[in-house]
Amino acid sequence: MGGNNNKRIAKNTIILYGRMIVFLVISLFTSRIVFNTLGVDNFGLYSLVGGIIIFFSFLNNGLSAATKRYITAEIGKGATGRPRYIFNICVHAHIIIAIIILILAETIGIWIVNYILNIPPDSLRAANLVFQVSVIMAIIGIIQSPYMSVIVAHERMNIYAYFTIIDVILKLLVIFLVQVIPGNKLIIYSFLILGSGIITFFVYNSYCRKTFTTCHLQKIKDKPLLKDIFSFMSWSLLGQIAVVSTNQGVSVLVNIFYSVTVNAAMGISSTVTSIVNNFVSNFQIAFNPQIIKQYNNGEYNDLTTLIIRASKISSYLILIFLIPLCFETHNVLHLWLGDYPQYTVPFVMLTLVAIYFEAISAPLWMVIYAQTKIKQYQIVISLVYSLNFILGWAILWLGVLPYNVITIRVFIFMVLLAIRLIYVRKTVIGFNSLRWLREVCLKSLLISLVTFALLFPLNSLLNINELLHIVIISGVSLITMLILIYGIGLDSNEKKAIYTLIIRKLRLNYTF
């Protein structure tokens, strides 16, 4: 991998992590206030009904993948590329998708909210209002998506950091207003979140139109290219439908067999795990453009190194959170929220394990998406993904505890990881699956076992207050893992890069 690319990736990663730290602090602060202000039932209702619209947004997710892939590939071509024309085709496609989602939401979506979900009658009016707000936010997100894809394709990750200031101000303003405005807190919160989303939409879009000539609208005439992008999107959608069945579909099943209180537990676990997952996804965003460009340029040796490195570091980032939370989830939730719903702890733990396997396999599916022929892959992945919903329904019908739906998800994600390894081996010339397993999984397992072996006796010996217990366990875990990661988790080139980064005070003039 070239020095310039490494410098750009390292710089973007640091910028994204600076943004994420700020976002983490604000998210923990605001989510506690939101939970306490709305109450368990309203929080569960918001998580459930607001999540229904995500079911319809799967169309946009598939198209977003196509948008990032095609725009990034065009930029990678240099002078011969047509990123502006590709962008305009994608904008037209997103508008079409927005119309489709609007129709589906206002027909099937309303029917689900009013006749399928287990919602108390006195909360039905609020649920419908929350749903309509969620529809509007989904449409805004769909139209905004091509602009966000352009920022990623140009690797302008600093923009996310700058705009975090706006996000933070808006979130804090929402929290303040929901406290002082009288009325139904759930409805007030929903509309305030919508307002902040509209402001963010205009800020991002205004920046993109002023900064990138790519974002200047023009008339499109290349129908075959539009058809090509929609073909890619169609097969991508197949996988997205299965993903939604995993997340939102299972959430609906839990609501049907249990109640909104259990949905609140799932909502809290989603908040915790999304914060952890965002740390990893921010890191992976910095790698994604380079993966696409290296694949399309045929740089397979560099690409193999990049895939392994991205998967390996992703695993370490998850483990840094996962291992101490195995001991401290109860204490963290109690200090954070006070009283929390039943089943929240196992929901959090199992979901973290699931996103571990999904995180380390993300660089693999990024490579598969870098090509245009994904039909066979999506059919296989979709069939396996659908087992989350089918098996989840079966075990809930049998009366098992609700968090076991996430146990199934963990198993399915392990199977998906194996499938992606097989496809990448066929896609990338010279890719060695055994090397990937050795560098990623084996090293992660060894680091985890040593850390657990140290923490188990320490945890049993500590008899102190919650906060100090969290600090000591987390501190010992972090120090132990950092030593092990540096000692056995990184290769010589990666160690040299870290050493240079520290010694030269983040000047980023090194090579791997």
Side-chain angles (χ1 to χ4, degrees):
M1 182 165 26
N4 290 333
N5 288 339
N6 290 306
K7 179 186 287 189
R8 186 183 303 112
I9 290 173
K11 180 180 178 181
N12 287 335
T13 302
I14 292 172
I15 290 171
L16 288 170
Y17 270 96
R19 167 190 178 271
M20 195 58 228
I21 290 172
V22 175
F23 192 77
L24 169 62
V25 174
I26 298 301
S27 295
L28 290 173
F29 171 71
T30 56
S31 57
R32 175 190 173 99
I33 296 177
V34 169
F35 177 77
N36 290 331
T37 302
L38 297 183
V40 173
D41 289 344
N42 276 340
F43 184 83
L45 186 63
Y46 182 81
S47 301
L48 175 66
V49 177
I52 290 296
I53 194 60
I54 299 177
F55 185 86
F56 297 101
S57 296
F58 69 82
L59 291 170
N60 178 54
N61 293 335
L63 189 53
S64 295
T67 303
K68 292 177 183 177
R69 183 252 175 259
Y70 279 93
I71 292 178
T72 303
E74 289 298 311
I75 292 174
K77 293 178 182 178
T80 60
R82 299 185 300 165
R84 179 181 175 184
Y85 195 73
I86 296 295
F87 170 81
N88 277 270
I89 290 178
C90 292
V91 168
H92 282 76
H94 276 259
I95 292 173
I96 295 172
I97 294 301
I99 295 172
I100 294 174
I101 287 182
L102 180 62
I103 295 172
L104 291 174
E106 295 300 333
T107 52
I108 300 175
I110 290 178
W111 174 72
I112 292 174
V113 170
N114 287 278
Y115 299 103
I116 300 298
L117 298 183
N118 182 18
I119 298 174
D122 57 346
S123 299
L124 200 56
R125 175 177 172 272
N128 277 278
L129 286 173
V130 170
F131 180 76
Q132 293 301 325
V133 169
S134 299
V135 172
I136 298 172
M137 292 189 66
I139 299 301
I140 291 173
I142 292 167
I143 299 174
Q144 182 177 334
S145 182
Y147 296 90
M148 303 296 291
S149 299
V150 170
I151 295 176
V152 173
H154 283 277
E155 302 183 65
R156 297 285 187 89
M157 306 310 174
N158 60 321
I159 301 306
Y160 289 102
Y162 297 148
F163 287 166
T164 295
I165 298 174
I166 298 176
D167 288 336
V168 167
I169 293 173
L170 291 174
K171 286 183 180 296
L172 292 175
L173 181 61
V174 166
I175 293 301
F176 171 75
L177 292 176
V178 79
Q179 299 287 318
V180 299
I181 298 177
N184 187 304
K185 298 300 183 182
L186 177 60
I187 296 175
I188 293 169
Y189 178 72
S190 300
F191 278 97
L192 289 174
I193 288 294
L194 172 61
S196 67
I198 293 173
I199 294 173
T200 303
F201 168 79
F202 282 111
V203 170
Y204 271 102
N205 286 20
S206 297
Y207 169 82
C208 288
R209 288 196 299 270
K210 291 179 180 179
T211 306
F212 305 113
T213 57
T214 304
C215 297
H216 294 176
L217 298 179
Q218 67 183 85
K219 186 178 180 180
I220 62 169
K221 298 179 181 179
D222 193 343
K223 303 301 181 183
L225 183 57
L226 179 61
K227 181 180 178 181
D228 186 36
I229 292 177
F230 260 99
S231 176
F232 183 95
M233 178 204 69
S234 299
W235 291 113
S236 179
L237 289 180
L238 192 61
Q240 291 299 326
I241 293 173
V243 170
V244 170
S245 297
T246 298
N247 299 324
Q248 306 308 319
V250 170
S251 180
V252 172
L253 286 177
V254 169
N255 173 260
I256 293 173
F257 284 94
Y258 288 90
S259 66
V260 291
T261 301
V262 181
N263 284 114
M266 291 188 71
I268 293 170
S269 71
S270 296
T271 300
V272 175
T273 53
S274 66
I275 290 171
V276 176
N277 198 39
N278 280 338
F279 270 91
V280 183
S281 61
N282 275 328
F283 162 77
Q284 292 170 342
I285 286 172
F287 275 79
N288 188 31
Q290 287 301 319
I291 287 177
I292 295 174
K293 291 172 184 176
Q294 287 183 6
Y295 175 81
N296 283 278
N297 292 333
E299 301 169 3
Y300 296 122
N301 290 334
D302 290 342
L303 179 59
T304 297
T305 301
L306 182 60
I307 295 168
I308 293 174
R309 184 166 296 154
S311 294
K312 183 167 57 176
I313 298 178
S314 296
S315 72
Y316 300 154
L317 292 174
I318 291 289
L319 290 176
I320 285 173
F321 290 93
L322 176 59
I323 292 178
L325 280 174
C326 287
F327 299 91
E328 300 297 330
T329 299
H330 169 73
N331 290 334
V332 170
L333 290 173
H334 187 261
L335 285 176
W336 177 33
L337 300 174
D339 295 330
Y340 53 85
Q342 187 182 15
Y343 307 127
T344 303
V345 172
F347 267 122
V348 170
M349 292 306 307
L350 288 169
T351 307
L352 281 172
V353 175
I355 68 170
Y356 169 83
F357 289 104
E358 191 69 355
I360 64 176
S361 66
L364 302 175
W365 63 253
M366 287 179 187
V367 176
I368 298 170
Y369 269 65
Q371 59 178 332
T372 57
K373 299 185 183 300
I374 59 172
K375 174 181 177 180
Q376 184 187 56
Y377 167 78
Q378 287 295 350
I379 291 175
V380 173
I381 290 294
S382 300
L383 290 174
V384 176
Y385 248 121
S386 64
L387 294 176
N388 284 283
F389 185 83
I390 297 171
L391 295 179
W393 197 332
I395 64 171
L396 289 174
W397 182 77
L398 291 173
V400 301
L401 294 174
Y403 56 79
N404 283 295
V405 296
I406 312 299
T407 303
I408 290 177
R409 184 182 301 182
V410 172
F411 173 74
I412 296 299
F413 280 5
M414 293 173 66
V415 175
L416 291 172
L417 173 60
I419 294 172
R420 285 164 177 155
L421 275 174
I422 294 172
Y423 272 91
V424 171
R425 188 175 61 184
K426 295 178 180 179
T427 303
V428 179
I429 299 173
F431 181 81
N432 189 322
S433 299
L434 291 178
R435 179 188 169 193
W436 187 94
L437 290 170
R438 182 176 62 253
E439 290 290 323
V440 180
C441 296
L442 185 59
K443 289 185 177 181
S444 295
L445 178 62
L446 182 58
I447 291 170
S448 301
L449 290 176
V450 174
T451 308
F452 270 114
L454 179 63
L455 291 181
F456 267 116
L458 178 62
N459 182 63
S460 61
L461 291 174
L462 290 177
N463 187 20
I464 51 180
N465 66 70
E466 291 177 336
L467 180 59
L468 192 56
H469 199 283
I470 293 172
V471 171
I472 292 177
I473 291 293
S474 300
V476 172
S477 175
L478 179 61
I479 294 171
T480 303
M481 289 189 63
L482 289 178
I483 293 172
L484 292 171
I485 289 171
Y486 188 83
I488 63 177
L490 303 178
D491 60 35
S492 58
N493 290 328
E494 292 160 349
K495 291 177 183 178
K496 180 181 178 182
I498 292 175
Y499 177 80
T500 305
L501 184 65
I502 295 173
I503 295 300
R504 299 187 182 183
K505 298 179 181 180
L506 306 181
R507 292 178 183 175
L508 302 176
N509 55 345
Y510 63 91
T511 60
F512 281 91

